Amino acid sequence: MNSTMRKSIPLILAALLVVPVAAEATNDNVGTAGFSFLKVPVGARASALGGTFTAVSGDLEATATNPAGLVGVKERTAALSLTSYLVDTEAGFLSFAVPGDRRLWAISVNYFSFGEMVRTDEDGQNLGTFNAFDFAAYITAAQKVWSNRLTLGVNFKAIYSSIDDFTSDAYAVDLGVLSPGPIDGMTLGASLSNLGSVRNGYTHGFEDSLPVVFKAGFSHRPAHTPVPLLLLVDINVPNDNDPFFSFGAEIQLAGDLYLRPGYSLQQTGAAGDDPLGLSAGGGVVVKKMYHVDYAFTSFPDLGDVHRLSVTGSF
């Protein structure tokens, strides 16, 4: 494998993750940040809502978007999410939370596998196969302050990426805040994710930047609706793309059954007759202890994304 190919592989893998959101983009920074798997929603609930999760609390999936959202978890809770992503890639998320006297703690692992790929020489000759994967482990701490009017959260992250015999690693923090909104039933949220630095690049002199993103949004439970309803809006400001809005709604149907549509303006556009940016999913609560959620997203010409999450308290 020559030096040009070595430098190209990380760019190719990053493109696999950013193509769905950059198909119509003109921003010169698109795809310039590394560790792109950190931009992919980790769970079915967040994904179904278009990734609109900055002002959600009491859910382990929230730690990947806004660590302050860990507050609201009342018992020891574990969450597992599996994703069948594009072009035979796969992802997984595992998290475990323990409430404390004043502070909540969680440990989470986010994994993304690109599967087995073919190695070739400069003439295109098959030289066997190799694997590539990304991995992030982080500790979350969150607590309420200022007479419980403000919730603060932080993630401490270790990030690792492997492509064949080449590796890269980084360290980062995420910061988050939640606060009650100006009207009843509203929550305001903001987060700043992936602040840190790359310790080692794939090769000497090759170091990716981290995909830093600022998010701000609100969630609102309107009063006097026919069914319980949660509305969500986020604005996202990444360092490698234009700012964009995302929207979501969670509708509680009969009993413990939920329906969730979502939409992200980062994927605005159409390929043929298939709209981009739409997502959908649902969930059910089993025996008041287990949440089972599913999400579906379709990307024309690339395939469908399926996510399944299970969360339980014990």
Side-chain angles (χ1 to χ4, degrees), residues 58-120:
D59 192 318
L60 280 178
E61 291 182 16
T63 60
T65 304
N66 182 348
L70 180 62
V71 168
V73 174
K74 304 297 184 182
E75 302 173 283
R76 289 184 301 176
T77 304
L80 172 65
S81 179
L82 300 175
T83 300
S84 175
Y85 204 65
L86 302 171
V87 198
D88 297 326
T89 57
E90 297 178 345
F93 174 74
L94 178 64
S95 186
F96 177 72
V98 179
D101 293 336
R102 296 183 58 250
R103 187 176 297 116
L104 285 87
W105 295 91
I107 299 175
S108 304
V109 174
N110 181 11
Y111 178 83
F112 201 101
S113 173
F114 294 89
E116 193 172 79
M117 291 176 284
V118 177
R119 179 190 288 108
T120 62

Side-chain angles (χ1 to χ4, degrees), residues 26-75:
T26 57
N27 191 314
D28 292 338
N29 290 325
V30 170
T32 57
F35 303 99
S36 296
F37 78 107
L38 296 173
K39 298 185 285 187
V40 178
V42 300
R45 187 184 179 203
S47 178
L49 295 168
T52 317
F53 224 57
T54 306
V56 173
S57 62
D59 192 318
L60 280 178
E61 291 182 16
T63 60
T65 304
N66 182 348
L70 180 62
V71 168
V73 174
K74 304 297 184 182
E75 302 173 283

Side-chain angles (χ1 to χ4, degrees), residues 44-45 48 260 280-284 292-297 305-309:
R45 187 184 179 203
R260 304 182 182 109
V284 63
V292 181
D293 300 305
Y294 168 77
F296 171 82
T297 309
V305 177
H306 302 272
R307 289 181 173 87
L308 181 66
S309 298

Side-chain angles (χ1 to χ4, degrees), residues 24-230:
E24 306 239 348
T26 57
N27 191 314
D28 292 338
N29 290 325
V30 170
T32 57
F35 303 99
S36 296
F37 78 107
L38 296 173
K39 298 185 285 187
V40 178
V42 300
R45 187 184 179 203
S47 178
L49 295 168
T52 317
F53 224 57
T54 306
V56 173
S57 62
D59 192 318
L60 280 178
E61 291 182 16
T63 60
T65 304
N66 182 348
L70 180 62
V71 168
V73 174
K74 304 297 184 182
E75 302 173 283
R76 289 184 301 176
T77 304
L80 172 65
S81 179
L82 300 175
T83 300
S84 175
Y85 204 65
L86 302 171
V87 198
D88 297 326
T89 57
E90 297 178 345
F93 174 74
L94 178 64
S95 186
F96 177 72
V98 179
D101 293 336
R102 296 183 58 250
R103 187 176 297 116
L104 285 87
W105 295 91
I107 299 175
S108 304
V109 174
N110 181 11
Y111 178 83
F112 201 101
S113 173
F114 294 89
E116 193 172 79
M117 291 176 284
V118 177
R119 179 190 288 108
T120 62
D121 60 18
E122 294 177 341
D123 299 321
Q125 297 297 314
N126 190 326
L127 300 179
T129 61
F130 66 96
N131 297 96
F133 68 90
D134 295 318
F135 176 91
Y138 56 93
I139 297 174
T140 304
Q143 73 177 66
K144 290 188 175 183
V145 297
W146 193 30
S147 301
N148 293 333
R149 293 285 298 173
L150 202 64
T151 301
L152 303 178
V154 59
N155 288 334
F156 300 97
K157 282 183 177 176
I159 309 162
Y160 180 83
S161 181
S162 174
I163 304 172
D164 195 15
D165 295 328
F166 306 95
T167 62
S168 179
D169 60 90
Y171 298 94
V173 297
D174 305 334
L175 305 174
V177 59
L178 289 171
S179 175
I183 60 178
D184 290 340
M186 177 178 284
T187 300
L188 305 178
S191 66
L192 187 60
S193 300
N194 304 318
L195 291 170
S197 63
V198 177
R199 191 178 73 92
N200 287 314
Y202 292 107
T203 60
H204 179 71
F206 183 90
E207 291 186 357
D208 290 312
S209 60
L210 288 166
V212 179
V213 58
F214 171 76
K215 296 175 179 279
F218 71 86
S219 62
H220 180 52
R221 295 189 182 274
H224 313 300
T225 55
V227 294
L229 176 66
L230 178 65

